[in-house]
Amino acid sequence: MSNKPDNYTVIGLQWGDEGKGKVVDALAERCRYVARFCGGANAGHTIVTNGQKYALHLIPSGVLHAGTVNVIGNGVAFNPRRAIEEIDALAERGTKLGPDNLRISSASHCVMPWHMLQDTLSESRLGEGKIGTTAQGIGPCYSDKAIRSTAVRTGDLVDADALRAKVRSIAAEKSKVYAAVYGAEEPLDGDAIAEEYVEYGRRLAPMIGNTGALLRGAVAAGERILFEGGQGSMLDVDHGTFPFVTSSSVTACGVPTGAGVPPQAPGRVIGVIKAYTSRVGAGPFPTEQDNEMGQYLRDRGNEYGTTTGRPRRCGWFDAVAVRYAAELSGVDELALSLLDVPAGLDEMKICVGYRIDGRSVGDLSDGADEAFSPDTMDRVECEYETLPGWSEDIGQCRRVEDLPEAARAYIRHIEQAVGRPVGVVSIGKDRRQTIFRGSLVAGEAT
Ligand code: IMP
């Protein structure tokens, strides 16, 4: 195996919702496999093609390409009910999924009804201090994975008798815990949950298997894989704004563990960034604009959660946080999305440094007194660089050279501040509104 296989890894460098689905969809036609390695149905990946909109949560974003095998890796919190709903909805629209084009890791962990319940109970108990989760049971599912004795893996779904026994026993234990800790009055109905999941197992069995072996075989055979990240680097459980994070490893560092492949397998790492910043849920957000400007971005960018419908918090582009995330994942190229959204603003600001009590932190000129850490993000003051805005509608541009000079200058400043080249620019929702340049020009291998 060469040192860096000819694969792609597409991850978010902000707080999620960077437009990864569109970038994955655009690159998927050059790949044999599209594999998810983290997160679960908390993700919301939107693809628009021929005027049709697809909102995917659990199913990888390669599904709209014939000949692509979509893989749900072992690192995913797999909700079988949601997966079946998505499979059925795609079938109604003409995209049929089966063992030829969808494979689910038997080692992925199942989101059970009690995980959804616990997510909600725990958030209500936290009240004002809540994390603002998507209520998809993600944290409780991964915590059972770590506890082990109370976990159900997707491979367990295919052995009906063993599954029934396991589900009944865990449901009984959880009922006691929820009654004692949260005052839950109704015990869980272990028998009904067991039958529901036995049925999911029957339905999904042909697709469940050893996806790690499948992907390692692809690496050995030189078949190209695209690893599709969920959420964004600042939501990473280890490297994000803890505790206001999700519960899995969402950077490129999570690919080997979450997909069962060697450390070189991620290949070329593409970090997706929005032309501004958004965040949904609680937690620090230094460049947030809780004002008219934030509302302008929210309206024009339709910044409402794909999974929860919640309004997203919006603000200026934060190059300090993005540079940290790009360094962490060894990002090769940036994909800049939603560049059409800020059109009409008089000026554009890029955060290029933080200050805490007069000390400079993470200054991009490298003259910082202190290194950047997500742990101090709730206390920083931002230092901005201000650039002119543009008012033209750029949706019809097909080359970077067609963009207004102010938009090109904005791209150059982002490249300089983050220290990585922009290889993709997205200027609208449709597949055709994507400009490739650099090594990612359509059809070109890496
Ligand atoms: P959880 O992943 O549902 O536990 O939510 C934890 C935090 O991550 C919350 O702030 C969510 O809003 C955020 N989050 C989870 N998934 C996504 C996503 O796909 N996009 C944006 N934010 C997300």
Side-chain angles (χ1 to χ4, degrees):
M1 194 175 76
S2 77
N3 206 27
K4 198 153 180 168
D6 191 14
N7 294 332
Y8 297 126
T9 290
V10 177
I11 51 156
L13 298 185
Q14 295 159 317
W15 278 282
D17 309 311
E18 296 95 348
K20 296 175 291 294
K22 189 180 170 197
V23 176
V24 172
D25 173 63
L27 293 173
E29 63 183 358
R30 312 182 200 174
C31 302
R32 175 80 177 117
Y33 295 90
V34 174
R36 287 273 306 263
F37 59 92
C38 67
N42 50 350
H45 294 171
T46 308
I47 300 169
V48 180
T49 175
N50 297 328
Q52 291 225 47
K53 182 174 166 186
Y54 296 83
L56 303 169
H57 298 280
L58 205 46
I59 303 293
S61 302
V63 279
L64 300 177
H65 292 280
T68 303
V69 181
N70 294 276
V71 176
I72 296 180
N74 57 277
V76 171
F78 180 68
N79 183 329
R81 181 192 298 173
R82 297 297 304 276
I84 290 170
E85 280 166 12
E86 270 183 56
I87 291 169
D88 290 346
L90 283 161
E92 266 178 35
R93 298 173 73 179
T95 300
K96 297 246 181 303
L97 290 174
D100 290 343
N101 57 358
L102 179 63
R103 308 303 294 273
I104 306 159
S105 171
S106 54
S108 59
H109 280 249
C110 274
V111 173
M112 305 298 292
W114 50 76
H115 293 141
M116 315 276 280
L117 177 66
Q118 190 182 336
D119 208 346
T120 311
L121 290 172
S122 155
E123 286 280 271
S124 339
R125 190 177 64 88
L126 288 170
E128 286 289 295
K130 70 181 178 184
I131 293 168
T133 72
T134 59
Q136 292 300 312
I138 302 296
C141 176
Y142 285 117
S143 74
D144 275 334
K145 174 178 177 175
I147 291 171
R148 294 151 294 165
S149 58
T150 45
V152 177
R153 299 205 298 175
T154 304
D156 294 332
L157 300 185
V158 298
D159 181 344
D161 288 338
L163 179 66
R164 284 189 183 99
K166 188 175 248 197
V167 167
R168 282 189 201 121
S169 144
I170 300 172
E173 180 177 333
K174 297 274 179 193
S175 295
K176 285 187 202 148
V177 174
Y178 298 163
V181 178
Y182 304 109
E185 284 167 14
E186 288 282 314
L188 293 156
D189 186 344
D191 289 333
I193 297 170
E195 289 321 309
E196 182 187 336
Y197 276 68
V198 165
E199 190 46 42
Y200 296 151
R202 274 200 200 105
R203 172 88 195 266
L204 297 171
M207 293 173 248
I208 298 173
N210 184 346
T211 56
L214 180 75
L215 294 173
R216 288 192 298 280
V219 172
E223 291 180 298
R224 193 184 269 158
I225 307 169
L226 189 159
F227 297 100
E228 176 182 16
Q231 294 77 49
S233 302
M234 301 310 295
L235 289 170
D236 186 271
V237 67
D238 286 283
H239 305 292
T241 48
F242 195 89
F244 301 102
V245 293
T246 189
S247 305
S248 65
S249 299
V250 304
T251 72
C253 312
V255 170
T257 310
V261 292
Q264 305 88 334
R268 197 161 187 78
V269 181
I270 298 151
V272 188
I273 47 174
K274 259 180 188 169
Y276 47 96
T277 311
S278 72
R279 171 163 208 174
V280 62
F285 180 176
T287 62
E288 180 170 16
Q289 298 297 304
D290 190 9
N291 54 26
E292 260 180 33
M293 150 45 206
Q295 189 60 42
Y296 184 80
L297 293 172
R298 189 174 304 117
D299 290 343
R300 285 193 43 98
N302 190 25
E303 294 292 355
Y304 295 89
T306 323
T307 303
T308 58
R310 289 179 291 177
R312 296 181 188 139
R313 301 155 65 193
C314 293
W316 296 118
F317 184 82
D318 186 341
V320 182
V322 169
R323 187 162 86 163
Y324 159 77
E327 281 171 3
L328 186 61
S329 285
V331 164
D332 294 292
E333 260 169 275
L334 302 169
L336 177 64
S337 71
L338 294 138
L339 188 62
D340 52 312
V341 171
L345 291 172
D346 293 338
E347 52 184 34
M348 297 290 292
K349 291 190 184 208
I350 298 177
C351 171
V352 292
Y354 294 156
R355 291 195 96 75
I356 303 178
D357 303 332
R359 287 169 302 150
S360 76
V361 175
D363 189 314
L364 297 183
S365 61
D366 282 334
D369 301 336
E370 272 176 40
F372 168 86
S373 159
D375 295 346
T376 55
M377 278 177 102
D378 56 346
R379 290 183 269 134
V380 300
E381 270 174 56
C382 293
E383 292 180 338
Y384 290 103
E385 183 178 22
T386 304
L387 298 167
W390 60 93
S391 53
E392 296 89 333
D393 174 4
I394 59 173
Q396 301 308 317
C397 298
R398 292 293 170 263
R399 299 173 314 156
V400 170
E401 297 77 64
D402 301 336
L403 296 171
E405 169 50 26
R408 280 185 282 145
Y410 188 63
I411 296 174
R412 282 197 301 275
H413 278 257
I414 285 180
E415 287 181 316
Q416 200 180 17
V418 177
R420 302 287 196 276
V422 170
V424 184
V425 182
S426 171
I427 45 160
K429 292 192 177 72
D430 200 85
R431 256 186 195 167
R432 286 163 303 168
Q433 294 173 303
T434 314
I435 303 172
F436 285 90
R437 63 175 191 166
S439 68
L440 292 174
V441 169
E444 197 181 303
T446 56

